[in-house]
Amino acid sequence: QSALTQPAWVSGSPGQSITISCTGSSSDVGVYDRVSWYQHHPGKAPKLMIYDVSRRPSGVSHRFAGSKSGNTASLTISGLQAEDEADYYCNSYTNIYTYVFGTGTKVTV
Amino acid sequence: QVQLVQSGAEVKKPGASVKVSCKASGYTFTDYHMHWVRQAPGQGLEWMGLIFSSGGRTIYAPKFQGRVTMTSDPFTSTVYMEVSGLTPADMAVYYCTREGVESYRFDSWGQGTLVTVSS
C-alpha cells in the first residue's frame, strides 16, 4: 500500500492559480472516484476540501476545484490567498475499506 | 456541533503500549465509522485503519496489523486506539476522524494526540 505521489512543494503569487497533482495506480485513484483532498495547517486538524474527486463540502470556497484523469487526481486553487498557505494531502479509497494518503504538498503563497 | 475530543499527550518508553481515546458528540455515533490517522514529525498523513459504526468490525492497514487495536464504546460515544510494542518510529500525532457510512470522506477530525516514545 504505497502512498500516492504528490509534488513536495508548489508555490504561487497572490491571485494566481496553482495545481497539485496526486498520482496513484489502477488499484486506487484510477479505479475509484473516491478521491478527497485535505488542507492541513501545522498544529491544527486537517480539513476536508474536496471529496468524490470534485465535490466541495458546504463552506469550502469555490476557489478550490478537483479533477481526475486516469491514475492522477488534481487539486486546483484559483485566486490564491495568503490563507491558502498550508500542506495539502490527497486521499483515495483503495479496496475492501482501505485508504491511502498522498505524500503531501506544501503550498506557499 | 460535531466534536471529536481526544485524550491528552502521552510519553511512553520503547516497548510499552499507548491507548488514545476519541469522544464524539453532536451527531449520532452509530451513523459514522471512525478512522485513525497519524503524522510523524516531518512526515505526511498515514492512514492506520478504521472501526465500523457497528463497533465490532475493524480493518487495519497492513503495516499496523497485529500491533494496533481499535475498539468502540457506543454507550459513551468513545473510540479507542491502542498501539503496542512502541518504537521511536511510532512517535507521532494521532488523529481520529469520522466517515459517514459509505461516504468515503473524512469530514470531521479530532484535535490530535501527541505520542512521544523515548527512553
Side-chain angles (χ1 to χ4, degrees):
Chain A
Q1 193 182 28
S2 300
L4 308 176
T5 301
Q6 299 180 230
W9 178 68
V10 173
S11 68
S13 300
Q16 285 187 331
S17 293
I18 61 169
T19 297
I20 303 167
S21 62
C22 168
T23 302
S25 70
S26 56
S27 297
D28 38 62
V29 176
V31 70
Y32 296 105
D33 286 337
R34 301 299 188 182
V35 176
S36 52
W37 289 88
Y38 300 85
Q39 178 189 67
H40 191 201
H41 288 104
K44 301 185 71 176
K47 177 185 177 183
L48 175 67
M49 305 301 285
I50 295 287
Y51 67 96
D52 289 353
V53 174
S54 59
R55 295 178 179 268
R56 262 186 315 273
S58 61
V60 171
S61 170
H62 284 70
R63 298 186 298 105
F64 292 84
S67 62
K68 190 185 88 166
S69 177
N71 295 339
T72 299
S74 298
L75 174 71
T76 298
I77 309 174
S78 57
L80 206 57
Q81 298 179 2
E83 67 203 50
D84 300 330
E85 190 161 290
D87 298 322
Y88 290 83
Y89 294 89
C90 59
N91 178 276
S92 177
Y93 178 78
T94 60
N95 59 17
I96 321 173
Y97 292 102
T98 60
Y99 292 79
V100 62
F101 279 98
T103 50
T105 298
K106 180 176 290 294
V107 169
T108 60
V109 181
Chain B
Q1 75 280 21
V2 174
Q3 279 195 305
L4 300 177
V5 179
Q6 299 181 220
S7 49
E10 302 265 11
V11 179
K12 296 291 182 181
K13 294 188 184 304
S17 297
V18 67
K19 192 170 187 177
V20 180
S21 68
C22 170
K23 182 172 176 59
S25 62
Y27 69 96
T28 302
F29 182 72
T30 50
D31 284 348
Y32 289 79
H33 306 321
M34 196 72 79
H35 297 246
W36 288 87
V37 174
R38 77 177 187 181
Q39 183 177 38
Q43 304 298 309
L45 300 178
E46 183 175 30
W47 183 80
M48 299 179 67
L50 82 147
I51 183 164
F52 284 82
S53 59
S54 61
R57 187 182 173 196
T58 53
I59 291 179
Y60 304 118
K63 175 178 180 177
F64 299 104
Q65 190 76 39
R67 213 162 62 86
V68 169
T69 304
M70 297 176 188
T71 55
S72 174
D73 181 354
F75 297 103
T76 61
S77 300
T78 302
V79 173
Y80 300 89
M81 190 278 302
E82 183 172 22
V83 184
S84 61
L86 289 168
T87 73
D90 292 313
M91 189 158 68
V93 175
Y94 290 77
Y95 294 98
C96 60
T97 179
R98 73 169 196 175
E99 176 210 351
V101 175
E102 305 268 321
S103 75
Y104 305 97
R105 60 188 183 268
F106 311 134
D107 65 359
S108 189
W109 295 67
Q111 83 276 20
T113 297
L114 174 63
V115 174
T116 301
V117 183
S118 173
S119 55

